Amino acid sequence: MAWLPFSLYLLGTGLCRAASKRDLVLDQPPVVRALRGESVTLACSCDICNYPDFHSEWRFTSGNGGPVTILAVKTAISSKQLDPWHKFSLTHQRNSRSLLLIKNLQINDQGTYLCTMIKNVPPPTVILKGPGTQLEVYALPNVWLFSSPWEAALPMAQVSCAVRDFYPQSLYATLNATCGIDEALADNASAVMTGDGTFSMTLQAWVNMTDCQNGTEVTCLVRQLTAETRRVLWIPRAKNKAALLPVPIILIRFIFGGAVVLCLIFLLGCFMKSLPGPAVTLNSLYTAVQPVDPQAGGGGQISQNGSRQLHS
């Protein structure tokens, strides 16, 4: 029975090693959020391992029933880039740390990234896996606030807030006015997916400015995660149509200007008529130089100085 304590020792050691090996899991952050178009680095590590030589693998799954894809593999002496656009790159650091860099994030990059670390030297071979990191990609919205120009003179103004190119679909948006009763339209809550996977929506409301003496200020507030976007629009008070003249001002100015021009033309014509005409002067000169026929009575000629000379 001397072998019994030794057998129990070996069994306990094996169970402890199995338990420690089973509990040894890579450290990965559970959730990482990043902005579309930017780059992000995902990390997995085993701080207590301190392997001098290891290689790591990163896999991706979208979580909607799609296949698991190997993104990158790196050993101590080589690195395999499995995508033709070099979107993913893998580096190693000390203390058994693997870093996956993802460039130019897009909506379809959202999913779970799994890390595996393998140690071969010194033996025995140890394979460690991480729980995975959920990558969430978001896109900030573009917000425009405007009012139809032809409605600016009416007591009721329709205001629209367009929210475009945001992700994910969950979004808080509201329209508020400092003066007037705002009534939201029925189709405000629907967000529509666009071709690139983002969402767009439009908020519309009627703002009553009957009692707004100085106009009203409308604010469109949009919140997404920790980001907030605010747009402000000032709408002047409604114009009083009863104060308008029956005849437009421009028509009155046109009639008055035409009358002044006609008066000037009439006065200029009168002034021209008061001057001696050129035809009368020429006729006088022509008569003074004509010779006088002696047989026509009064005979004689008119001299150059205008005196008449008689002939016997």
Side-chain angles (χ1 to χ4, degrees), residues 119-262:
K119 189 269 297 183
N120 292 321
V121 179
T125 299
V126 177
I127 301 177
L128 303 177
K129 295 183 179 182
T133 297
Q134 180 68 29
L135 177 62
E136 297 180 357
V137 181
Y138 67 96
L140 295 177
N142 299 315
V143 182
W144 294 273
L145 180 61
F146 56 91
S147 175
S148 299
W150 61 272
E151 293 166 347
L154 299 178
M156 296 290 292
Q158 183 179 359
V159 181
S160 301
C161 182
V163 187
R164 299 288 184 266
D165 305 327
F166 62 90
Y167 190 89
Q169 184 178 359
S170 58
L171 190 76
Y172 173 80
T174 181
L175 275 172
N176 296 309
T178 57
C179 176
I181 302 173
D182 54 336
E183 181 182 356
L185 299 184
D187 58 349
N188 280 341
S190 58
V192 181
M193 179 179 290
T194 60
D196 60 352
T198 59
F199 293 88
S200 297
M201 65 183 300
T202 300
L203 280 74
Q204 291 182 325
W206 286 99
V207 180
N208 189 352
M209 298 185 298
T210 304
D211 299 329
C212 300
Q213 299 298 326
N214 298 322
T216 183
E217 184 180 83
V218 181
T219 302
C220 180
L221 178 63
V222 178
R223 289 195 183 101
Q224 182 191 36
L225 299 177
T226 58
E228 179 176 301
T229 304
R230 187 186 302 265
R231 296 290 182 267
V232 179
L233 175 66
W234 175 259
I235 302 178
R237 64 178 181 177
K239 298 179 181 178
N240 187 6
K241 293 185 177 181
L244 297 177
L245 296 176
V247 181
I249 299 298
I250 187 171
L251 182 59
I252 295 176
R253 291 181 178 179
F254 178 77
I255 295 175
F256 179 76
V260 171
V261 172
L262 291 177

Side-chain angles (χ1 to χ4, degrees), residues 18-26 46 48-49 51 126-129:
S20 61
K21 190 174 182 180
R22 182 178 65 250
D23 296 336
L24 191 61
V25 179
L26 296 177
C46 178
I48 64 175
C49 296
Y51 296 144
V126 177
I127 301 177
L128 303 177
K129 295 183 179 182

Side-chain angles (χ1 to χ4, degrees), residues 286-294 296 300-302 308:
Y286 177 77
T287 305
V289 298
Q290 291 296 325
V292 177
D293 189 0
Q301 295 182 350
I302 298 176
R308 182 182 297 272

Side-chain angles (χ1 to χ4, degrees), residues 62-128:
S62 59
N64 55 3
V68 178
T69 305
I70 299 178
L71 301 178
V73 177
K74 180 175 176 59
T75 66
I77 58 176
S78 66
S79 178
K80 297 179 181 180
Q81 304 296 336
L82 303 180
D83 63 300
W85 301 278
H86 299 283
K87 183 181 180 68
F88 306 96
S89 59
L90 189 56
T91 58
H92 284 174
Q93 292 182 346
R94 294 182 179 179
N95 298 327
S96 306
R97 185 176 178 86
S98 177
L99 302 177
L100 177 67
L101 175 64
I102 310 174
K103 303 176 183 178
N104 190 20
L105 285 174
Q106 299 301 318
I107 303 300
N108 55 7
D109 292 328
Q110 185 169 255
T112 303
Y113 290 79
L114 303 169
C115 177
T116 300
M117 188 176 297
I118 303 173
K119 189 269 297 183
N120 292 321
V121 179
T125 299
V126 177
I127 301 177
L128 303 177

